[in-house]
């Protein structure tokens, strides 16, 4: 009787673990867009601190922990591939989002980043990984939403933010597709080394841009940077990597259409962000495209 009870409890524990990991990725990653805004408003320079320094700290802490646990360090070949990934995913992908949020609301930034699966599908097709008919439908629908979002409203009033939010998801998606099949270390070590490398790149670019730490930063800004480093860069990323190894990729990737909803809700609640009917319509179309792609992938893998 004890044996059967133990057997029944195992799936329950696994189910709770999956639910907890999904909740962390959904809520924490969805809240990082507002965290970036608060950090910027708190007087912290975008690339030097909000992106660069926090990735250096998070990467160094995770790298040291993994080495202490006996995980092998990356080889020279690994470092080269990780440098390219760090430049595409974090230097360009994350760095451009942070720069864009100086003029664009956190909710719109999150919705723009939600287009990553669309670009991944397109880049995958260019590399011979042809999408199914359903995935093509999702790509077309999603891109229609991206065009709608960028054609009017807040983004047209901030051309610099518009360009950055167009380039960021493209860089992230290309880096994700490029990384497939590359010689890389274990997933957690790859994440740690990538954050460390990209953090150093971001700090260097920030210094070249003339960014400096200001003496009149606020406590709210400091707490936001700490939150981004600990929860956004270490805890949520670890939960995401765990999900990739324990559930189907479609479920793990569902954050792409949940994060924008969380970001928009938090932005409206805590920062007073407001959106036009057209922007809400574009958001709905983009998310519909991502959902269609996810469902098509699920049917294809089944």
């Amino acid at each position: 009787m004890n044996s059967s009870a133990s057997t029944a409890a195992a799936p329950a524990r696994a189910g709770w673990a999956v639910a907890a990991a999904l909740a962390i990725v959904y809520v924490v990653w969805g809240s990082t867009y507002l965290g970036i805004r608060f950090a910027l408003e708190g007087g912290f320079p975008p690339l030097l601190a909000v992106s660069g320094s926090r990735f250096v700290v998070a990467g160094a802490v995770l790298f040291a922990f993994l080495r202490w646990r006996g995980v092998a360090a990356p080889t020279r070949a690994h470092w080269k591939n990780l440098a390219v990934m760090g430049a595409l995913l974090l230097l360009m992908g994350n760095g451009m989002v942070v720069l864009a949020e100086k003029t664009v609301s956190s909710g719109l930034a999150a919705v723009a980043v939600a287009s990553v699966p669309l670009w991944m599908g397109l880049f995958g097709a260019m590399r011979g990984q042809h999408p199914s008919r359903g995935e093509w439908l999702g790509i077309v629908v999603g891109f229609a939403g991206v065009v709608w979002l960028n054609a009017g409203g807040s983004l047209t009033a901030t051309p610099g933010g518009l360009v950055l939010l167009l380039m960021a998801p493209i860089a992230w998606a290309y880096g994700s597709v490029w990384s497939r099949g590359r010689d890389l270390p274990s997933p957690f070590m790859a994440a740690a080394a990538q954050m460390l490398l990209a953090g150093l790149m971001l700090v260097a670019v920030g210094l070249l841009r003339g960014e400096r730490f200001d003496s009149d930063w606020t406590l709210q800004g400091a707490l936001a940077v700490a939150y981004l480093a600990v929860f956004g860069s270490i805890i949520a990323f670890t939960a995401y990597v765990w999900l990739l190894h324990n559930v189907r990729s479609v479920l793990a990737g569902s954050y792409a259409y949940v994060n924008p909803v969380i970001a928009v809700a938090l932005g409206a609640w805590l920062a007073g962000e407001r959106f036009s009917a057209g922007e809400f319509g574009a958001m709905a179309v983009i998310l519909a495209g991502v959902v269609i792609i996810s469902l098509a992938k699920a049917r294809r893998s089944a």
Side-chain angles (χ1 to χ4, degrees):
M1 186 169 67
N2 290 339
S3 176
S4 62
S6 175
T7 303
R13 286 196 300 270
W16 277 109
V18 170
L22 284 172
I24 290 171
V25 173
Y26 287 172
V27 176
V28 174
W29 272 0
S31 66
T32 54
Y33 296 92
L34 187 59
I36 290 170
R37 172 174 173 169
F38 285 158
L40 292 171
E41 291 177 347
F44 286 85
L47 300 186
L48 187 59
V50 181
S51 282
S53 296
R54 62 122 163 170
F55 279 132
V56 170
V57 172
V61 170
L62 187 55
F63 187 92
F65 174 75
L66 292 171
R67 293 293 292 140
W68 175 70
R69 291 293 303 270
V71 178
T75 64
R76 180 173 297 183
H78 290 161
W79 283 114
K80 291 179 180 178
N81 290 331
L82 290 167
V84 175
M85 290 176 61
L88 290 169
L89 272 66
L90 298 181
L91 173 61
M92 298 180 66
N94 181 268
M96 288 183 177
V97 170
V98 173
L99 288 174
E101 283 203 43
K102 295 181 69 176
T103 56
V104 174
S105 70
S106 62
L108 284 181
V111 174
V113 174
S115 65
V116 164
L118 312 178
W119 293 107
M120 287 182 67
L122 189 60
F123 287 133
M126 293 170 63
R127 295 189 61 180
Q129 302 163 0
H130 299 295
S132 65
R133 189 173 301 174
E135 289 172 305
W136 273 121
L137 174 62
I139 290 172
V140 171
V141 170
F143 275 121
V146 171
V147 172
W148 185 3
L149 182 67
N150 292 315
S154 302
L155 286 181
T156 54
T158 57
L162 167 61
V163 172
L164 290 169
L165 288 181
L166 279 173
M167 294 178 63
I170 292 175
W172 185 283
Y174 182 76
S176 299
V177 173
W178 181 90
S179 68
R180 293 173 182 169
R182 302 287 175 177
D183 184 16
L184 296 170
S186 64
F188 291 114
M189 179 56 77
Q194 193 178 149
M195 284 192 290
L196 189 56
L197 287 172
L200 293 173
M201 295 179 202
L202 284 159
V203 168
V205 174
L207 290 173
L208 290 174
R209 292 182 71 247
E211 294 181 4
R212 298 293 183 270
F213 283 100
D214 202 340
S215 59
D216 60 351
W217 51 266
T218 66
L219 177 60
Q220 176 178 278
L223 291 175
V225 173
Y227 176 82
L228 291 169
V230 175
F231 288 90
S233 298
I234 297 179
I235 295 177
F237 196 86
T238 301
Y240 178 65
V241 171
W242 183 87
L243 283 169
L244 288 177
H245 286 75
N246 289 275
V247 302
R248 291 193 306 174
S249 59
V250 170
L251 180 58
S254 60
Y255 76 90
Y257 50 86
V258 177
N259 284 170
V261 178
I262 299 291
V264 168
L266 289 176
W269 176 34
L270 298 176
E273 296 179 355
R274 295 292 178 263
F275 306 92
S276 67
E279 288 167 345
F280 274 119
M283 294 179 195
V285 173
I286 292 173
L287 298 182
V290 176
V291 171
I292 292 171
I293 290 175
S294 297
L295 293 177
K297 285 183 177 179
R299 287 196 297 269
R300 196 174 190 178
S301 62

